[in-house]
Structures are given as C-alpha cells and as structure tokens.
Amino acid sequence: MLILDKYIESIVFPLEFIRSPVWLLDVNSLRFVWGNSAALVLWDAPTLTDLQNRNLSADISLKVRKRLNQYCIDLTGTTSTVSEHWTFYPKGRPTTCDCSISAFESPAGVSLLMVNAIQQDSESSADTLYRSSALLHTSVCVSVYGTDGRLKYSNPAARCMLGAERLSLAERFVDSGDWRWVKVELAAGKEVVIEALVVTGNEQAWHSLTLESCPDPVIGASSIMVTETDVSERLQAEQQVHQLAYYDALTELPNRTSWFAALRGRLELARGTDERLAVLFVDLDRFKLINDTLGHTIGDKLLVAVSERLSHCLNSCEELARLGGDEFTLLLEDNETGSQANDKAQFIVETLTTAMNIDGHEISIAPSIGISRFPQQSSDADELMKQADLAMYAAKEAGVGYLGFKAHMTTQSVRRRVIERDLSEAISTCVLQVYYQPKLCAVSGVVLGQEALCRWNHPSLGWISPGEFIAVAEETGKIGEVTKYVLHEALTQQAKWAADGHDICMAVNVSPLEFRDGDIVDVTRQALHTTGAKPENLELEITESMLMEDSDSIQTVIAQLHTMRVKLSLDDFGSGYSNLGYLQKFPFDSIKIDRSFLSHGEISPVIDLIIGVGNKLSLKVVAEGVETQVQSDFLTNQGCHQLQGYLFAEPMDKSSATDFLNAKRKSAPRNQRQRKIEFVA
Ligand code: C2E
Ligand code: CA
Ligand code: CA
C-alpha cells in the first residue's frame, strides 16, 4: 500500500466516514493516492492497495489530462470547486456521477485533485448521459452568461480556455464595438455569429462565437448561451494565403494582381467625374549591374529601400505596387495640364537618385519613369499600363528621368528595342505561342500537314507578327532559342495528333542563319527524341536566301537532316534568287510557291512554270496564300499538290486546329480517308 504522508492522512481521516465516494488523484502519475470505502465500492476495488495500483493513464485522453492539469492550476490555493458529470469505467462498466472537484498541493509538491462523486440514479436516461458526456469532452467551448454578462457556467473546454479568470461577456470582447453590436442583435432576438478577437485567460485570440438568448436551464431566468471555437490558426493561414497572393514578399507592396484590381477599381470610380489621374511606370536604370556586382542580398535590400522612398512620395489616396524585378508602378492624382504628375515624377527621380547606404555601400540609382494619363490618353487600365511602359522605355532611351506617353512611341525604334528587351523572357516563360495552318490535298481536300507559325502577344505592344520579331531574334542571336521552342511545341502537338489518329506532317520554319552553325541538327534530334515524333513527320521549311551561301557547312547540315529522314521544303520559292540549281543539288522534298504570286486574288503566269519545274523534278509542289476559289481551282488544274491559305483556314491556336482536324475527318467521305492513307504510305 502507498504510504501516505502525515498531511494527507490528516486530510483523509474524516473523509472515510462520508457515505459518498471520495478519492484523491495524483494528476501527474494519474494514480489514485487514496479513496474512501464508498470509492472502493464505486471503483470495484477489493482493497485500497488494489485501487492505488491502478493506473488511469490508458483510460484518460490527452485532452482530458490537459484539462485536469488546468484544474489543478486554477483551483489550487482556492476554496473553489468545479462540478461536472463524469463517467467512469470501473472494470469497463460505465458509471456516471456528479463530481465536485477541488485541488491542492501536498507539502511534498504533489498536485492532487480531490473528487467527491455522487452516483446518478440508474434511471438517468441514456440521452442525458450522452449529452453531458458530449459537453464534457467536446473541444467546443460552451458557456452560459447571465443577461448582466456574468459567467454562470462553462464546460471543461471553456474553463480551460478562460483559466481562472471569470470575465464578463463584455470584458471578453477586445473591441467594445463587437460587444455593442452583439447586444443589439441579441436584443432583437437574433442568433449572433461573429468572428472576433476575444480575451482568453491571459491572452487574446480570434474566436468564432455563436451567441443566443435562452432561458437558464436551472432557474429559468433569461441568459446567453455562447459556443466558441478558436479560429486563430485558420485566420492566420488565410491571412498568409492572401498576403502571398496579393503582396510582394520582398517589399510587402501590393503585387501585380492587386495592382490591376486597384487600378481598375479606381478608374471605375473616376469615370464620369472630372478627376484626372496619372499612371507612372518606374524602372531602375542599371539595377542588373548592381545585382551582378554587389550580389542579390544587396540588390534585394536596395529594392526595399526604393520601395520605402517611393511610399514616402505618395499621399494617402495614391497607390504604389511592385510589378516584379526592378519595376514599380504608381497611380497619382493629376491636373488638367499634367504638371502635377510631372512634378511628382521629377520629385521621385530626385528622391531615388539621392545616394542611399546599403550595408556600407553608397548606392545611387536613377529611375526612368513613363507617364500615361487618364482620361486624356486612355480610360482602360491595360492600355494605360502599356502606354506608361513604352513612355518609360523612351525615357530610358533618351536618358531623361521621365517622359509622358506620346502616340509615336508605339512605332519607331522604341518598339524595336522593347521587342529586343522582352524576347528572351517571352521564350523562357512560354509566352510565345505556336499557331497551326493546315495544308490540304489539292484534289481531295484532306488535311495532309500543318505549318507551325509563331505568335507573340506582347504585354504592351499587343500581337507582334513573326515577320517583325523573328528579324529581331535573328539580329540579336536569339533565333536559336525561338526555333528550339517552336520545334518542341510543334512536335509535341504532332505526337498528340498522331496518337489521336491524325498522323500528319508538321512543318516548322527555320531561319537560314541556323544552317551556318550546325546546331539545328542537334536541336532537331533532341526535339524528336523528347517528343517521340517520327522524323518523317517533320518538315523543315527553309527560305532560298540561305542557299546563296552554298558553303560546305550548309551542305553538311542538309545532308545530316536528310539522313535523319527529316523532310526539307524550299519556302518562298520564286521570291528572290530562284536558282534551279539548288533544287538539283539539295535533297528537297517539296517547294512552296511564294505567296506574292497569288497576291490580291491574282494569279501570276509564272506559277505555271514553277509547278512544271517541280513536277519534272518529282518534288511535291505546295501553294501558300490561297485566298480564292478561282486560285484554288487553277492551281489544282495545273498539277499543284497541296494548298494552304485563308480560303481553307487561317493559322489557329492548337485547340482550334484540333477542332479543324476533327471536323475535316468527320466530313471526309470514306474513300477519301482511304486515299489519304494511300498517299501517306
Ligand atoms: P511564311 O513561312 O511564308 O508563312 C506564311 C505566312 O503567310 C504566315 O504569316 C501566314 O499567316 C500567312 N498566310 C497564310 N495564309 C495566307 C493567305 O491566304 N493570305 C495571306 N496574305 N497570308 C497568308 P505569319 O504567320 O505572319 O508568318 C510570317 C513569316 O514569319 C513566315 O512566313 C515565316 O517566314 C516566319 N515565321 C513564322 N513563324 C516562324 C518560326 O517559328 N520560325 C521562323 N524562323 N520563322 C517563322
Ligand atoms: Ca513557311
Ligand atoms: Ca512562305
């Protein structure tokens, strides 16, 4: 038997004579320290030693254990007791009691709970037991307050949450406005649901509370039943998600998404009023150099410092955001002459140019700022941003701090420089898109191939034709990146269509420059390998100009591609240097008659000649730019094999091109489908 110390013995002696069960529990070890005779009966223990040898750890959940500890903390040193319905399981038999619990600490420092249990009569309905047990075990805090706001009852979870404090309902709301609103709603007989910051013990937390007026179940007076759960973690997670979605992590400024939302909202409000606004696009000059030479940590700190300086330039109804990298944007108030925004831009230039000390480095960074104006130049958010971007670029080019947008900036050299600046990023972020234009059998109308044509929807300049950006890519050495990207996209699509029963040839345009270095061979091999497309289903379209050079390396490249079974097509045939010698010298599979021979619905007499040459050399002859039925009929009668042009289809994105293929397959008569198979074979 556990030897009781003198102190405990003195306490338990009179309790032995009480008829209801009383016992002492060590809350740390969860063992009985002592129990009177009635307790031994309740617990079905033949002796006190048997009771003391029992360990309740296995039967008591962590939650309940936490709660018992809390009772020790709250009740020790006080005369307070807590009353609860408890269900025990002596030898597995549920026994429900009304328990009165008090706590004290023995001189040896052991935390003890004294439990006085009054057994419920066995008549208690199962329903009541379930309900009281649920109330006891739930993690939802349930409490009852009087209409004066004083706490009357709290379930164990609520007691745990409130600690020893017996705060009134009013005192629980950190924001007194919340309580005022709750009171009004309750007075109107409503059930109130609120998420509020509340006092819990000696802390504060966000709780979701439901409050309802109800009669006190004991005395019938009206009271307020409150159920609450802690939602701090959920709110914190929501807050984090919101922060990540709408704010830039580095500077904590609104990001691109919130910027556009704010800009649109503000323009909407200003529309129809006489308010004038200006959008500023701010880009830091030579920021990359600082990043590269002083490192990213300094670069990041500089961006934070810049964002702080920019914030100080704003008044309360103006906006600032970081679009990414070293680009910031502002929405300012302006006046009729535009001088207000100009002055602010000048002020920003001066503010940012003033040297700042970042980790011991004196850094002065000049910005270039472009300004567009609402409503004079546009009332559309996207348009204003494009204009401000172009104006910023013009300011940078001109080496002046800021410039207002002017119409001529959409053309001219600014445009070219913008293309040059943004091309690599467009490729790496897959902004370039590949469209597909079908080539049809002149006789049957069956689709035999698709030509991949590159497209670029530039954020400020809108759609740019490949004619424009391919030339820039060639001049700036970026054409290799474009070809690699287009080849990969187009062959991925080819393989998809092939898997779907459209085993057609994919034509990709290749710039003549790429035949000078031998790269195109490896790039093609790699693209075929990764996409799983068959080489005989790839056709490279090459313009004549390349062959002018006639160097050994070009010959080698063409021979290698031919060995790989990749098809070769001579594009824009007849447009420039047409030399029949090329056709005999290089292993071409087809020629594409330049579309200038068909321009404006005309048919050039030279076409006859080209088709004749092609046929003589057993080359497939393709006509591009077919726009009218007359042209189509003529070309077919002359023996042209394949036709391509707006008459049949414009270049389409992959989903429309797929629809086109499917529609053609459905409409083709059975014998034509058969014919196509023969042709391909
Ligand atoms: P291209 O290879 O001669 O392509 C035919 C051009 O004619 C395409 O212009 C096409 O949209 C257009 N077209 C098609 N049918 C008709 C028609 O019935 N009437 C008229 N008037 N035009 C028609 P796009 O797509 O603007 O391409 C222009 C050129 O850019 C292409 O000429 C090609 O040389 C080059 N290109 C396009 N994509 C790429 C690419 O991925 N790589 C390279 N290196 N060049 C490309
Ligand atoms: Ca072409
Ligand atoms: Ca062409």
Side-chain angles (χ1 to χ4, degrees):
M1 183 166 88
L2 196 83
I3 309 295
L4 302 178
D5 64 33
K6 285 262 172 312
Y7 175 76
I8 291 181
E9 252 184 9
S10 68
I11 286 181
V12 301
F13 178 71
L15 300 175
E16 183 55 62
F17 304 102
I18 292 182
R19 281 172 55 199
S20 60
V22 181
W23 63 87
L24 295 181
L25 189 72
D26 175 344
V27 273
N28 288 318
S29 64
L30 291 176
R31 280 177 180 276
F32 291 94
V33 173
W34 176 84
N36 66 3
S37 308
L40 297 189
V41 173
L42 187 149
W43 283 100
D44 203 359
T47 62
L48 180 59
T49 315
D50 180 274
L51 188 67
Q52 286 171 332
N53 282 340
R54 293 191 193 175
N55 187 342
L56 294 178
S57 313
D59 302 332
I60 296 185
S61 70
L62 249 182
K63 208 167 70 196
V64 173
R65 207 178 293 185
K66 238 171 91 185
R67 198 183 326 138
L68 296 181
N69 276 315
Q70 187 66 43
Y71 290 166
C72 277
I73 295 167
D74 295 347
L75 302 174
T76 300
T78 74
T79 52
S80 306
T81 58
V82 165
S83 297
E84 277 176 0
H85 267 325
W86 277 6
T87 303
F88 308 109
Y89 300 89
K91 303 211 163 139
R93 183 174 36 84
T95 310
T96 302
C97 303
D98 274 332
C99 295
S100 164
I101 305 139
S102 51
F104 63 96
E105 197 178 87
S106 78
V110 181
S111 293
L112 297 165
L113 283 183
M114 183 187 292
V115 183
N116 181 5
I118 297 174
Q119 229 163 317
Q120 300 241 318
D121 54 37
S122 54
E123 311 278 285
S124 277
S125 72
D127 215 31
T128 314
L129 294 182
Y130 282 131
R131 244 183 288 143
S132 60
S133 164
L135 201 61
L136 206 64
H137 288 281
T138 180
S139 57
V140 177
C141 303
V142 181
S143 27
V144 178
Y145 291 83
T147 40
D148 57 359
R150 280 223 323 266
L151 180 64
K152 290 172 147 188
Y153 165 81
S154 44
N155 77 336
R159 270 203 295 282
C160 241
M161 177 266 295
L162 290 167
E165 296 287 335
R166 292 183 65 84
L167 296 172
S168 72
L169 195 49
E171 286 167 326
R172 297 234 19 243
F173 287 93
V174 174
D175 180 346
S176 57
D178 285 344
W179 170 234
R180 277 201 300 277
W181 178 75
V182 167
K183 261 200 317 196
V184 171
E185 293 288 291
L186 285 174
K190 294 186 189 158
E191 183 192 75
V192 185
V193 179
I194 183 175
E195 272 183 8
L197 188 61
V198 293
V199 180
T200 64
N202 43 16
E203 291 180 339
Q204 295 185 348
W206 283 92
H207 278 197
S208 165
L209 301 103
T210 306
L211 303 99
E212 203 181 352
S213 295
C214 62
D216 181 311
V218 184
I219 53 169
S222 76
S223 50
I224 305 162
M225 163 88 75
V226 183
T227 50
E228 57 193 293
T229 45
D230 191 331
V231 292
S232 307
E233 270 181 33
R234 196 201 77 214
L235 290 185
Q236 209 177 347
E238 279 174 7
Q239 173 69 22
Q240 276 170 353
V241 168
H242 185 267
Q243 185 75 19
L244 283 176
Y246 296 104
Y247 290 86
D248 165 47
L250 178 67
T251 61
E252 294 181 1
L253 288 178
N255 65 10
R256 182 180 283 274
T257 311
S258 25
W259 164 257
F260 273 96
L263 179 60
R264 288 199 181 99
R266 186 64 190 278
L267 295 181
E268 195 56 50
L269 285 180
R271 216 157 278 154
T273 70
D274 55 5
E275 192 177 14
R276 287 173 187 268
L277 299 166
V279 172
L280 268 64
F281 200 113
V282 181
D283 184 283
L284 306 177
D285 297 347
R286 285 183 289 281
F287 174 74
K288 191 172 175 306
L289 188 71
I290 291 175
N291 234 358
D292 292 347
T293 51
L294 298 178
H296 288 269
T297 314
I298 300 276
D300 283 356
K301 286 185 180 172
L302 178 64
L303 289 172
V304 173
V306 165
S307 74
E308 282 163 4
R309 286 195 177 186
L310 284 172
S311 307
H312 289 131
C313 296
L314 298 185
N315 69 32
S316 60
C317 44
E318 297 177 329
E319 314 264 352
L320 166 66
R322 180 179 176 216
L323 293 179
D326 60 345
E327 292 174 353
F328 295 85
T329 182
L330 299 97
L331 181 65
L332 304 181
E333 294 180 313
D334 202 6
N335 56 7
E336 211 160 308
T337 59
S339 63
Q340 193 176 333
N342 285 356
D343 291 349
K344 186 69 87 74
Q346 180 58 34
F347 180 61
I348 291 174
V349 172
E350 285 160 18
T351 307
L352 293 188
T353 320
T354 311
M356 30 196 143
N357 189 304
I358 310 279
D359 284 1
H361 299 275
E362 282 290 306
I363 303 175
S364 159
I365 187 132
S368 295
I369 303 177
I371 309 174
S372 59
R373 295 170 205 277
F374 167 94
Q376 304 95 302
Q377 294 180 318
S378 176
S379 48
D380 174 75
D382 294 302
E383 194 58 35
L384 284 166
M385 287 301 289
K386 287 177 190 176
Q387 294 174 344
D389 182 25
L390 290 175
M392 180 281 292
Y393 202 81
K396 206 178 274 272
E397 282 279 281
V400 294
Y402 71 90
L403 272 184
F405 172 74
K406 295 274 169 352
H408 71 81
M409 290 171 181
T410 47
T411 54
Q412 293 182 3
S413 65
V414 175
R415 186 179 164 92
R416 206 205 114 91
R417 292 303 183 89
V418 171
I419 292 176
E420 196 180 321
R421 177 193 68 179
D422 297 340
L423 186 58
S424 287
E425 198 188 323
I427 298 165
S428 63
T429 55
C430 300
V431 173
L432 286 193
Q433 291 183 41
V434 179
Y435 272 46
Y436 301 93
Q437 191 180 27
K439 297 181 192 174
L440 289 77
C441 171
V443 182
S444 68
V446 165
V447 180
L448 298 175
Q450 295 270 12
E451 178 178 4
L453 292 159
C454 204
R455 297 283 179 271
W456 184 11
N457 191 1
H458 185 277
S460 315
L461 300 173
W463 287 101
I464 309 175
S465 91
E468 189 175 4
F469 72 81
I470 293 286
V472 178
E474 286 176 342
E475 282 164 40
T476 55
K478 290 173 186 158
I479 187 66
E481 293 172 56
V482 177
T483 307
K484 198 169 167 183
Y485 174 78
V486 176
L487 259 176
H488 188 268
E489 283 288 298
L491 288 181
T492 303
Q493 192 56 55
Q494 198 284 335
K496 263 193 205 142
W497 281 332
D500 203 23
H502 302 292
D503 204 7
I504 53 175
C505 192
M506 179 63 75
V508 174
N509 293 284
V510 184
S511 162
L513 287 179
E514 294 174 82
F515 280 77
R516 293 215 189 106
D517 49 36
D519 257 14
I520 187 68
V521 177
D522 284 340
V523 169
T524 305
R525 191 177 284 124
Q526 186 63 37
L528 286 167
H529 179 74
T530 47
T531 60
K534 289 190 266 174
E536 53 272 32
N537 276 336
L538 170 64
E539 184 170 53
L540 298 181
E541 296 194 4
I542 315 155
T543 49
E544 280 183 306
S545 61
M546 172 207 88
L547 306 171
M548 289 280 290
E549 280 192 31
D550 195 14
S551 70
D552 285 351
S553 65
I554 289 174
Q555 257 185 331
T556 315
V557 168
I558 289 186
Q560 280 176 311
L561 289 169
H562 184 64
T563 315
M564 281 163 65
R565 286 180 288 129
V566 170
K567 298 207 168 90
L568 295 169
S569 166
L570 189 56
D571 202 359
D572 302 343
F573 187 75
S575 62
Y577 323 90
S578 307
N579 180 338
L580 294 179
Y582 305 146
L583 294 177
Q584 284 167 318
K585 189 165 174 185
F586 298 110
F588 281 104
D589 298 275
S590 58
I591 50 172
K592 277 187 99 171
I593 307 169
D594 190 67
R595 67 180 184 281
S596 60
F597 295 112
L598 292 174
S599 60
H600 311 298
E602 307 273 309
I603 303 169
S604 159
V606 184
I607 284 194
D608 252 0
L609 208 73
I610 298 177
I611 296 176
V613 171
N615 279 332
K616 278 222 172 65
L617 294 172
S618 305
L619 294 171
K620 193 171 69 190
V621 183
V622 184
E624 62 175 14
V626 182
E627 292 178 354
T628 67
Q629 193 58 48
V630 176
Q631 291 174 334
S632 166
D633 293 342
F634 174 83
L635 289 159
T636 308
N637 287 336
Q638 295 305 309
C640 181
H641 302 113
Q642 289 186 20
L643 307 176
Q644 186 187 25
Y646 296 165
L647 176 64
F648 312 104
E650 290 194 14
M652 298 167 277
D653 64 19
K654 56 186 170 195
S655 117
S656 305
T658 307
D659 291 346
F660 184 86
L661 284 177
N662 290 334
K664 275 275 170 192
R665 174 160 62 187
K666 262 198 196 140
S667 67
R670 277 194 67 81
N671 63 340
Q672 281 198 357
R673 289 184 219 168
Q674 196 61 38
R675 253 163 77 181
K676 186 216 153 194
I677 292 160
E678 279 160 17
F679 191 100
V680 171

